[in-house]
Amino acid sequence: MIIELGEKVLNGGEITKAEAEQLINVSDSDTMLLLAMADKIRDKFNGPAVDCCAIINARSGRCSENCKFCAQSAHYHTGVKEYPLLSEDEMVAAAKKAKAAGAVRFSIVTSGRGQSEEADFERICATLKRIKKEVGIEVCCSLGLLTLEQAYKLKEAGATRFHSNIETAPSYFPKLCTTHNYQDKMGAIHNAKKAGLRVCSGGIFGLGETAEQRVEMAFELKRLEIDSIPLNMLNPIPGTPFEHNKPLTPLEILRTFAVFRFVLPHALIRTAGGREVNLRDLQCLALNGGLNGIMVGGYLTTGGRSPEMDKKMIRDLGRTVTQPVLN
């Protein structure tokens, strides 16, 4: 069944949701075969290059939203470091560090529902222009619930992508957050697309969703025609409602990654937050099992491993890296 469905995708076909549910539920003993077929799909439609990106937590904590997984929500006591928007110079310096670490794309990420402070938003736009000019790296941002006017300004400032995770399957989203809803997410994604920004959108596994809901999420991203997908794994934060969530096994995570490749053969799919904690010694199997991107240099409130280790992993797999597109 795995080989048959893999060949179906390799020949230009599409798998159904029922077929994807079969794949995500294969046994541990069949998982390596699933990863091998997913990687054949990756190789055919995306080639050997691995896309490396990096982010900066440019404004931390005190978020008004109550997302149950997030250390930065003001609704929970997590001890996360809180600070206002960083200066232009601090963000530009971080972009230079990201480029030196091998990233081809750098994202400015801020806590909060959106960008209600005009001075902050203008500083972000000015910083995007500086980074593109001074650093020579692609720039994008993750700024919450974006308005259409703001989306046009980001495009004008040189941003190539806007990031807004759908987080999980639409059917499970109400279990995660009540201060904004799924349609609010759709509004931000629509505004970004209308302004000509490419959208980066994925989510988090291990929030209490079922395997079938992970498949639902993959098909929702396909419906939205998302071509850049970060896949995070919950790193439970003490003080949040999900602090005691049972972690997924590495093989369960890798099966999910592989199924996303079957469903979205042409997409840039990257492993992001939580990979070091959740995949441990099996991290390389994400790139050898269908994915073609990683986030390097740490995450919003948790650290990652050294960029040198990631570069070595990519070389050891015989893979190349992508280059920034700056025009």
Side-chain angles (χ1 to χ4, degrees):
M1 178 264 292
I2 295 171
I3 294 174
E4 178 185 341
L5 292 178
E7 288 177 344
K8 180 179 181 180
V9 177
L10 287 167
N11 290 326
E14 298 180 347
I15 65 169
T16 66
K17 189 175 286 188
E19 289 169 336
E21 288 174 356
Q22 283 183 282
L23 291 174
I24 206 169
N25 286 304
V26 299
S27 67
D28 285 354
S29 61
D30 283 336
T31 295
M32 292 305 151
L33 177 58
L34 176 67
L35 301 187
M37 290 307 298
D39 213 44
K40 279 187 171 292
I41 295 168
R42 184 273 308 160
D43 187 57
K44 176 169 182 177
F45 295 111
N46 296 277
V50 176
D51 188 277
C52 299
C53 73
I55 62 174
I56 183 172
N57 191 6
R59 186 177 64 217
S60 180
R62 292 174 288 187
C63 181
S64 63
E65 307 307 283
N66 67 354
C67 305
K68 292 180 180 178
F69 53 83
C70 187
Q72 300 195 72
S73 172
H75 294 257
Y76 319 124
H77 301 288
T78 65
V80 70
K81 189 175 181 180
E82 299 179 356
Y83 50 82
L85 185 68
L86 299 177
S87 69
E88 284 187 35
D89 287 345
E90 287 173 305
M91 289 186 273
V92 171
K96 290 177 179 177
K97 184 178 178 181
K99 184 177 181 180
V104 296
R105 192 173 302 101
F106 178 76
S107 182
I108 295 173
V109 185
T110 61
S111 66
R113 180 181 176 90
Q115 303 301 314
S116 57
E117 297 293 330
E118 186 175 350
D120 277 7
F121 185 71
E122 292 302 324
R123 187 188 306 172
I124 290 167
C125 289
T127 303
L128 291 172
K129 292 176 182 177
R130 280 189 59 188
I131 291 172
K132 190 167 184 181
K133 180 180 179 181
E134 297 176 25
V135 184
I137 192 171
E138 289 184 55
V139 286
C140 56
C141 17
S142 181
L143 308 175
L145 299 179
L146 190 71
T147 69
L148 183 58
E149 180 184 6
Q150 289 169 340
Y152 278 113
K153 287 184 177 179
L154 291 177
K155 176 70 173 177
E156 184 182 354
T160 55
R161 299 177 194 251
F162 183 76
H163 169 264
S164 180
N165 277 345
I166 63 171
E167 309 299 6
T168 189
S171 66
Y172 195 64
F173 189 87
K175 302 280 189 181
L176 304 184
C177 179
T178 59
T179 50
H180 61 267
N181 59 35
Y182 194 75
Q183 286 309 309
D184 292 327
K185 288 277 189 182
M186 293 299 100
I189 289 173
H190 172 76
N191 289 339
K193 285 185 172 183
K194 189 169 183 180
L197 294 166
R198 295 175 68 184
V199 174
C200 178
S201 183
I204 310 175
F205 304 136
L207 302 175
E209 78 287 348
T210 64
E212 288 72 25
Q213 284 170 323
R214 289 173 215 139
V215 169
E216 180 189 341
M217 175 183 159
F219 276 88
E220 176 69 355
L221 293 167
K222 180 179 179 179
R223 181 188 73 82
L224 293 169
E225 299 180 329
I226 303 297
D227 65 358
S228 176
I229 302 170
L231 298 179
N232 304 274
M233 296 130 276
L234 181 68
N235 186 358
I237 304 297
T240 65
F242 287 167
E243 66 174 304
H244 298 301
N245 277 32
K246 182 181 178 182
L248 305 182
T249 69
L251 292 181
E252 191 174 8
I253 293 165
L254 291 168
R255 283 193 291 272
T256 303
F257 287 170
V259 169
F260 267 68
R261 176 55 67 201
F262 272 74
V263 175
L264 296 142
H266 299 277
L268 167 54
I269 309 178
R270 74 178 72 253
T271 175
R275 68 178 164 97
E276 295 87 354
V277 172
N278 288 274
L279 290 176
R280 298 182 288 282
D281 288 344
L282 300 190
Q283 287 180 65
C284 69
L285 291 182
L287 291 179
N288 223 25
L291 301 199
N292 59 330
I294 58 173
M295 187 174 289
V296 297
Y299 312 102
L300 291 178
T301 61
T302 56
R305 66 178 186 172
S306 76
E308 284 67 34
M309 292 181 70
D310 286 331
K311 289 178 184 177
K312 188 174 187 301
M313 176 176 69
I314 292 169
R315 288 196 304 269
D316 288 347
L317 289 171
R319 303 280 287 276
T320 58
V321 294
T322 59
Q323 299 299 314
V325 179
L326 300 173
N327 51 19

